[in-house]
């Protein structure tokens, strides 16, 4: 075990981080298992190495009901993520992986898309509270891949990407999905839509509909995304919007 409270340990780790920056060219850090040490310690490493970006993995369990599914209200879960950023320094480069959004999306795409509108009418994950500090993802090397610890429904992965790549937050694409699953072109199209229309971490989200079989949202007044099998949504799409990307149970205008 590493004693992060030991001043010599802190000094040597800071020196190593600055070497990675200056000599190797890294400009951001990923804090693995960040709940294993205090936010105060992470703050020391960030403040003394000054990365342009830092993201923490704070993976805790969602709140579940008697049916084994996540409760609609996950405020306690996302509050933990927000608290970490607050303690490290909300004005700095620190962010957290949005495990709240990941957990809700996992279930929502299985015919429960109503879950994607929180009780306050906003996104139910960390992106609904502090999108600038939320790194969204569909799967990573722990949840998907060979470890398969909390995988996204494999036949609905592109619905997940249609969501995170059109929504606020900073989306993260899983290497395996992009290079090994044959989804490169589909993901590329969504990335192009995001880039072309300037969708960013703090873009404005307006949820138009969130029903069992349909989720429809508008972002920055420029992009509309639909998830779910409901086909006839033409009456909900404002004039002037054209389909820019589509696939199995998703479309983007």
């Amino acid at each position: 075990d590493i004693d992060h409270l030991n001043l010599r340990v802190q000094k040597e780790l800071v020196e190593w981080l600055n070497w990675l920056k200056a000599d190797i060219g890294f400009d951001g850090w990923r804090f693995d298992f960040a709940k294993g040490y205090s936010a105060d310690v992470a703050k020391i490493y960030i403040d003394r190495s000054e990365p342009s970006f830092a993201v923490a993995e704070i993976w805790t369990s969602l709140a579940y009901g008697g049916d084994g599914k996540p409760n609609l209200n996950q405020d306690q879960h996302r509050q933990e993520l927000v608290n970490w950023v607050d303690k490290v320094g909300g004005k700095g480069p620190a962010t957290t992986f949005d495990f709240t959004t990941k957990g809700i999306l996992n279930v929502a795409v299985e015919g429960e898309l109503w879950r994607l509108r929180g009780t306050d009418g906003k996104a139910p994950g960390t992106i609904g509270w502090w999108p600038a500090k939320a790194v969204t993802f569909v799967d990573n090397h722990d949840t998907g891949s060979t470890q398969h610890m909390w995988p996204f429904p494999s036949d609905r992965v592109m619905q997940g990407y249609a969501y995170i790549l059109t929504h606020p937050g900073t989306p993260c694409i899983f290497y395996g999905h992009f290079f090994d699953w044959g989804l490169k072109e589909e993901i590329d199209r969504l990335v192009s839509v995001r880039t072309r229309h300037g969708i960013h971490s703090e873009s404005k989200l307006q949820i138009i509909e969130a029903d069992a079989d349909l989720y429809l949202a508008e972002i920055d007044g420029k992009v509309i995304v639909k998830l779910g099998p409901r086909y006839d949504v033409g009456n909900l799409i404002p004039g002037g919007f054209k389909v820019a990307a589509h696939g199995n149970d998703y479309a983007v205008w």
Side-chain angles (χ1 to χ4, degrees), residues 191-246:
V191 171
S192 295
V193 170
R194 185 180 185 89
T195 304
R196 191 163 62 245
H197 294 285
I199 304 302
H200 54 87
S201 64
E202 296 183 88
S203 285
K204 182 183 177 184
L205 172 67
Q206 179 193 354
I207 299 171
I208 301 169
E209 186 69 69
D211 210 344
D213 62 344
L214 173 66
Y215 173 79
L216 194 69
E218 186 174 311
I219 301 88
D220 281 349
K222 300 175 182 177
V223 172
I224 293 177
V225 61
K226 184 212 87 161
L227 306 182
R230 193 185 302 181
Y231 183 75
D232 186 15
V233 296
N235 61 313
L236 297 172
I237 307 297
F241 281 85
K242 296 181 179 179
V243 175
H246 64 88

Side-chain angles (χ1 to χ4, degrees), residues 7 39 112 116 118 150 195 214:
L7 295 181
E112 299 181 6
L116 296 179
W150 200 28
T195 304
L214 173 66

Side-chain angles (χ1 to χ4, degrees), residues 82-166:
V82 165
N83 287 348
W84 188 90
V85 175
D86 266 331
K87 288 178 182 175
V88 172
K91 293 182 179 179
T95 66
T96 61
F97 285 111
D98 191 350
F99 277 94
T100 319
T101 289
K102 153 70 173 169
I104 293 168
L105 258 181
N106 267 23
V107 180
V109 297
E110 300 273 30
E112 299 181 6
L113 291 165
W114 50 267
R115 291 179 176 275
L116 296 179
R117 176 159 54 194
T119 53
D120 58 2
K122 299 179 181 179
T126 310
I127 58 171
W129 277 2
W130 203 353
K133 297 298 184 178
V135 175
T136 51
F137 66 103
V138 174
D139 265 328
N140 62 27
H141 61 284
D142 289 321
T143 68
S145 190
T146 52
Q147 297 203 60
H148 227 60
M149 291 171 68
W150 200 28
F152 204 84
S154 59
D155 58 338
R156 301 171 196 264
V157 160
M158 282 309 304
Q159 286 188 58
Y161 281 110
Y163 184 88
I164 69 169
L165 289 171
T166 56

Side-chain angles (χ1 to χ4, degrees), residues 178 183-193:
F178 195 75
L183 300 176
K184 183 179 185 297
E185 285 188 14
E186 268 191 275
I187 293 173
D188 267 341
R189 275 196 295 273
L190 292 169
V191 171
S192 295
V193 170

